Amino acid sequence: MVSQIQPPTQPEVIYPDSDGQPVANNTIQFGWIVEIKQNLDWLFADDPNVFVAGDLFWYPVEGRNKIVNAPDVMVVLGRPKGDRLCYQQWKEEGIAPQVVFEILSPSNTQTAMDKKLLFCDRYGVEEYYIYDPDRNNLSGWLRNEDGLDVIPQMEDWVSPRLKIRFVLSPETLQLYRPDGERFLTYTEISRNAEQERQRAELAEQARRDAIPRLLQMSLSIEQIAQALALSVEEVRRRSPS
């Protein structure tokens, strides 16, 4: 009897989700990464099939864990929102990030940035943007039939995919949503969130205060519930005993 020799088991390929390096090298770079990522999250909040990530490892080739990049911000249209330890492209219907943003810091070398551009060119990125906040310099590349090509004029450039507009003043870069509203800074995001919380609390307090006055006007519990957009049970619970 001849026994068949089983082929050796292939070792499992591990795709690390961290290299132990910080997300950003300084507060300026971190602020820009957060601003772009958060504003893009808001821009596409109602579209379940737009995935936005910051500093997430992207593996474009199955079985090749040395081929990896971690864009400061990347946008993938056509893939669902949700948490991921890393972006394994073969598990995402083969869809590469269409738009990538990089924010320069003093530690970024020209060689490292050239490698990032080559990576994005090789693996299918359609729009690639680099902003240097120290020099207030903005560069962009757009894919054509031959690969990523330099965008010659970035002033008032509108992203074909995202429809956001880039405005470079002598002081800084400003990004604008398709509706004309500008991207908010990290500080403004925090301040607006606090103001929204306070407005919600004031609105809730106003509704609670209105119940006794409406009862004094001889309105029924049901009428008050309808007027204040509350359930009958909520009105009864909040009514003075």
Side-chain angles (χ1 to χ4, degrees):
M1 180 178 179
V2 178
S3 60
Q4 292 184 337
I5 299 175
Q6 297 296 323
T9 303
Q10 293 294 324
E12 181 185 1
V13 179
I14 304 300
Y15 300 93
D17 54 24
S18 173
D19 58 3
Q21 299 299 314
V23 173
N25 296 113
N26 55 60
T27 57
I28 297 174
Q29 185 188 28
F30 179 75
W32 274 103
I33 293 171
V34 171
E35 177 178 334
I36 293 173
K37 198 269 183 188
Q38 183 68 75
N39 280 274
L40 289 173
D41 277 337
W42 287 347
L43 179 59
F44 294 105
D46 295 330
D47 190 332
N49 289 310
V50 178
F51 174 64
V52 182
D55 195 49
L56 185 72
F57 275 22
W58 163 30
Y59 294 95
V61 183
E62 185 175 9
R64 304 286 299 276
N65 62 2
K66 301 298 184 183
I67 301 177
V68 60
N69 197 0
D72 286 338
V73 180
M74 68 181 190
V75 184
V76 192
L77 294 95
R79 296 306 300 152
K81 293 177 173 27
D83 293 329
R84 293 162 172 81
L85 294 178
C86 58
Y87 190 84
Q88 299 177 24
Q89 190 171 320
W90 58 95
K91 294 183 178 180
E92 307 283 353
E93 298 185 359
I95 299 177
Q98 292 94 349
V99 186
V100 164
F101 297 83
E102 295 287 352
I103 306 300
L104 289 186
S105 71
S107 65
N108 291 128
T109 65
Q110 187 60 51
T111 299
M113 297 312 298
D114 288 344
K115 287 183 177 179
K116 283 178 174 284
L117 175 58
L118 180 61
F119 187 101
C120 290
D121 188 19
R122 179 173 295 164
Y123 294 110
V125 171
E126 297 176 14
E127 302 176 37
Y128 183 68
Y129 302 106
I130 298 178
Y131 180 58
D132 182 348
D134 287 339
R135 295 180 175 84
N136 191 31
N137 183 60
L138 174 67
S139 302
W141 289 259
L142 182 66
R143 181 167 294 278
N144 58 27
E145 60 185 12
D146 298 318
L148 288 175
D149 196 9
V150 174
I151 301 170
Q153 177 56 259
M154 284 300 300
E155 178 59 30
D156 279 335
W157 171 260
V158 176
S159 160
R161 276 289 195 170
L162 308 181
K163 309 304 180 187
I164 63 174
R165 184 163 58 95
F166 297 74
V167 176
L168 192 66
S169 72
E171 294 79 27
T172 189
L173 171 67
Q174 185 63 65
L175 300 174
Y176 289 85
R177 296 162 48 99
D179 61 8
E181 294 293 322
R182 67 178 178 83
F183 276 26
L184 300 177
T185 65
Y186 178 74
T187 300
E188 289 169 331
I189 290 169
S190 300
R191 184 184 301 124
N192 285 0
E194 176 61 20
Q195 290 174 345
E196 188 61 35
R197 184 189 65 80
Q198 292 176 356
R199 279 195 293 268
E201 288 182 353
L202 288 173
E204 179 63 18
Q205 184 62 50
R207 293 207 298 183
R208 287 197 299 266
D209 294 343
I211 291 174
R213 293 198 299 270
L214 294 174
L215 286 170
Q216 291 175 359
M217 296 168 61
S218 300
L219 269 69
S220 69
I221 294 291
E222 290 74 16
Q223 289 172 323
I224 294 173
Q226 184 177 11
L228 299 180
L230 295 171
S231 68
V232 171
E233 290 73 19
E234 284 179 295
V235 175
R236 286 201 179 102
R237 188 176 66 252
R238 298 177 185 185
S239 299
S241 55

